[in-house]
Amino acid sequence: MSIGSDAPPPVSERRRALAAAHPQWRELTLSQRLDDAAGRHPDRPLVITSERSYSYREIRDWSRRLAAGLIALGVGPGEHVALVMANHPELVALKFAVARAGAVAVPINFLLRRDELAYVLAQSDAVAVVTMDRFRDLDYLRALDQLAPGWERSGGGERFPRLRHVVVHQTGDALRPATTLDDLEALGDGDAAALGERERASSARATADVIYTSGTSGAPKGVMLSHDALLRSAYGSTWTRAFQDGRRILFALPLHHVFAYVEGLLAALFAGGAIIPQTEFDPVATLQAVQDHRADEALFVPTMTIAVLEAARAASFDLSALRAVMSAAAPAPVRLWQAVADELGVAEIVTAYGMTETSAAATYTQPDGPLELVAATVGTPKQGGVAGDPELDGRLVSYKTVDPLTGADLPAGAEGELTARGSILTHGYYGKALETAAALDDRGWLRSGDLGWIGADGVTLTGRSKELYKCGGELVSPKEVEDCLTAHPAVAQAYVVGLPDERMGEVGCAWVVPTGAEPPGADELIAHCHRNLARFKVPVRVVFVAAGELPTTATGKVQKYRLIERSAALA
């Protein structure tokens, strides 16, 4: 295959160019930021698909028509509009349209089943929903028929009394008699005055999105994020990854989550860049898109990275444009990142750590840093450039550790629960005052639920406070066992959970993704753990699984509570 050739300018030079383009921070709404970018680069592509490209001007104008339609439909300032959409260009236009109308977007995971969808529609108090008719085996209109019969005429009915309107994005040939996206555009035709008034009244400090958590440990919560928090985070990512002018970012990660939304779409705005969104992940299609659309950067999680490497080894692609990879959601050994550098020709590999509550990535490794840090840490608190907080030395967020049981501050360098504060944090969970109070203290510190420590090289994650288990009365951190397992050359990924045991209280069960087609023996891996860990930390069972068989959230985070369920069923 053809790999990287013409290198972009050095990181420092690219950051100087970004600083020149954005000499001071302006608090804008999402639609105002789009308008600013469209004024600078009207004819550049913003969204690139296999069928066609959409320019900044086209997305801006499309969002204006849709926003006017929402206003004509009766959507008021601050009201919630749910979006059940895959990574279609329509979703990009709709996200900016909702912001332009002064409303709040509620992007919903389009893979949710009927009852899961019902929970979010009800809990979010959505007054309108824009939904695809179907996606793969999911029939959203049939789900609505079961949840709210007559939705075409009366909205949510008794089940969802606040839901007044349903708009359908037609993906197939047959369409039910319902309001379509074309109808929505036509509704607001010619009413520029109402749109202008709504835009002028919008505030950058207002809530832009209510984004539901991925649910690695249970029912999701609606995280409220302001326009300014999202855009500061996005600019900080542009700055940290040192975007060159016009960077093209490819991803199959869903835009309903902050990873693709902030690190992809919103970050691209600050460099006049483009996104290449895919509706579902396919490693061959990913490599083909890199070749066809000259993608500069790809957003992956480790399971995707492994699949892309395997596809690249099996066929030839021109990857000469691909210079950068950003990874998050799970750790991976240094040999994986070395393979990305050697086999894909990627010069800049970064990893990051964040939460929906921190408007995506809050820590980053550096694009010109050593791969050892990419594997060992999740980087340092994200620098914000012009968007940074002077009180935090230009960072967007600050971290400390606290005792996971008492919440008391721990000394610098001590392992504990990571807590964060800064300008990119959520201001709470929608409709959940108790959960908000439990997560955010009165000084603005957010408890993450993640365990780790902060050293000179950055933040090192050691697990989740809820994932710790006791074996024979001794506390076990699954992350420590996982690190031991992935140090074995035959292990690509490992996930350890605790299971009830009559004699020991709890014992470890390890789910292992092997590096090759032939997995090592379970006894071999258990013996490897015995050589490197105390006896009580050694898992008693090893289950081999393909990466694609792991239960994950939409952003690739492994759902350990589902692994616990599977482990119990096997036992």
Side-chain angles (χ1 to χ4, degrees):
M1 74 184 66
S2 173
I3 58 178
S5 53
D6 296 333
V11 167
S12 59
E13 185 175 330
R14 284 177 267 158
R15 286 179 179 159
R16 281 195 296 271
L18 284 169
H22 304 281
Q24 62 182 21
W25 184 249
R26 293 189 295 154
E27 293 190 0
L28 301 176
T29 64
L30 298 179
S31 59
Q32 289 166 348
R33 177 54 65 190
L34 170 65
D35 292 351
D36 177 80
R40 297 170 187 244
H41 317 289
D43 299 318
R44 284 191 185 182
L46 173 55
V47 181
I48 300 172
T49 74
S50 57
E51 288 79 27
R52 60 160 292 188
S53 294
Y54 297 80
S55 70
Y56 275 80
R57 179 191 285 116
E58 287 175 311
I59 295 293
R60 179 197 64 193
D61 294 347
W62 194 2
S63 73
R64 285 175 175 171
R65 295 191 299 271
L66 289 168
L70 289 171
I71 293 171
L73 204 62
V75 174
E79 290 192 313
H80 292 184
V81 178
L83 305 172
V84 185
M85 297 281 286
N87 284 1
H88 297 301
E90 287 80 2
L91 178 57
V92 176
L94 280 163
K95 286 302 295 284
F96 291 112
V98 173
R100 198 179 295 280
V104 177
V106 182
I108 296 178
N109 184 341
F110 55 85
L111 297 181
L112 295 185
R113 301 289 170 169
R114 183 195 64 192
D115 293 344
E116 296 169 313
L117 175 64
Y119 168 81
V120 178
L121 286 177
Q123 204 279 328
S124 68
D125 292 327
V127 302
V129 58
V130 183
T131 179
M132 300 178 288
D133 49 6
R134 63 184 308 113
F135 183 81
R136 296 199 300 231
D137 65 330
L138 294 168
D139 187 332
Y140 304 104
L141 304 190
R142 182 180 179 185
L144 286 172
D145 286 339
Q146 296 169 347
L147 294 171
W151 57 265
E152 303 97 323
R153 301 174 302 278
S154 56
E158 295 181 2
R159 182 72 178 271
F160 310 107
R162 291 179 179 268
L163 183 61
R164 303 192 297 267
H165 304 286
V166 177
V167 179
V168 178
H169 170 48
Q170 182 181 357
T171 62
D173 295 329
L175 179 64
R176 300 264 292 277
T179 303
T180 67
L181 277 180
D182 289 340
D183 296 334
L184 186 63
E185 287 189 56
L187 273 175
D189 188 32
D191 195 1
L195 178 59
E197 181 179 344
R198 190 69 65 85
E199 289 185 274
R200 287 190 293 273
S202 298
S203 167
R205 300 292 182 94
T207 301
D209 286 89
V210 175
I211 301 180
Y212 280 76
T213 54
S214 301
T216 58
S217 59
K221 299 185 289 290
V223 179
M224 296 184 288
L225 298 171
S226 72
H227 297 262
D228 189 61
L230 288 163
L231 290 172
R232 283 181 189 271
S233 182
Y235 181 80
S237 298
T238 306
W239 175 266
T240 301
R241 279 146 57 200
F243 283 12
Q244 77 278 25
D245 186 47
R247 176 171 289 208
R248 295 185 171 195
I249 310 166
L250 180 146
F251 53 83
L253 295 157
L255 280 163
H256 64 67
H257 192 271
V258 289
F259 193 166
Y261 177 37
V262 175
E263 309 297 337
L265 174 60
L266 297 185
L269 298 179
F270 291 97
I275 60 170
I276 308 167
Q278 297 175 300
T279 55
E280 51 190 317
F281 174 67
D282 177 271
V284 174
T286 293
L287 292 167
Q288 190 65 51
V290 170
Q291 173 179 292
D292 293 346
H293 305 303
R294 306 293 295 168
D296 300 293
E297 182 181 34
L299 308 183
F300 289 149
V301 296
T303 51
M304 291 178 171
T305 308
I306 293 168
V308 167
L309 280 169
E310 291 173 349
R313 290 163 185 157
S316 180
F317 298 91
D318 178 3
L319 306 181
S320 56
L322 187 65
R323 303 297 304 175
V325 164
M326 176 189 171
S327 179
V334 69
R335 62 177 177 272
L336 176 65
W337 305 124
Q338 193 62 58
V340 171
D342 295 341
E343 299 178 40
L344 303 184
V346 173
E348 298 178 359
I349 300 171
V350 300
T351 191
Y353 159 71
M355 309 162 62
T356 306
E357 290 88 339
T358 60
S359 305
T363 70
Y364 258 113
T365 58
Q366 294 301 307
D368 51 359
L371 292 182
E372 288 74 17
L373 289 184
V374 175
T377 78
V378 290
T380 55
K382 184 162 67 175
Q383 292 289 331
V386 69
D389 187 342
E391 294 184 5
L392 301 179
D393 297 325
R395 298 189 300 271
L396 289 166
V397 66
S398 177
Y399 275 95
K400 67 177 181 180
T401 57
V402 301
D403 185 295
L405 298 178
T406 67
D409 287 357
L410 295 174
E415 180 182 356
E417 182 179 356
L418 293 165
T419 63
R421 69 180 177 92
S423 57
I424 60 174
L425 264 60
T426 179
H427 46 280
Y429 299 113
Y430 181 75
K432 291 183 178 291
L434 292 178
E435 288 86 345
T436 298
L440 282 165
D441 69 19
D442 54 9
R443 296 175 297 163
W445 286 96
L446 171 76
R447 295 190 65 161
S448 70
D450 291 313
L451 300 175
W453 56 278
I454 305 165
D457 291 328
V459 176
T460 298
L461 297 180
T462 57
R464 291 279 296 170
S465 59
K466 294 180 180 179
E467 293 172 2
L468 300 177
Y469 64 91
K470 279 190 173 182
C471 180
E474 299 284 353
L475 202 61
V476 180
S477 169
K479 177 67 165 55
E480 183 181 5
V481 186
E482 291 161 0
D483 287 345
C484 177
L485 286 165
T486 55
H488 191 286
V491 175
Q493 295 180 60
Y495 301 94
V496 175
V497 296
L499 292 177
D501 181 82
E502 288 185 6
R503 186 168 66 90
M504 302 301 293
E506 291 177 292
V507 294
C509 178
W511 291 73
V512 170
V513 179
T515 55
E518 291 296 327
D523 291 344
E524 178 184 344
L525 294 184
I526 290 174
H528 168 75
C529 290
H530 270 296
R531 290 192 295 270
N532 294 280
L533 297 172
R535 180 181 295 273
F536 68 88
K537 299 177 184 178
V538 176
V540 300
R541 185 182 184 117
V542 175
V543 181
F544 293 101
V545 63
E549 295 172 345
L550 289 166
T552 62
T553 68
T555 54
K557 294 181 180 179
V558 171
Q559 296 173 306
K560 285 199 169 179
Y561 73 96
R562 294 194 186 277
L563 286 184
I564 292 173
E565 294 170 358
R566 290 189 186 182
S567 301
L570 289 173

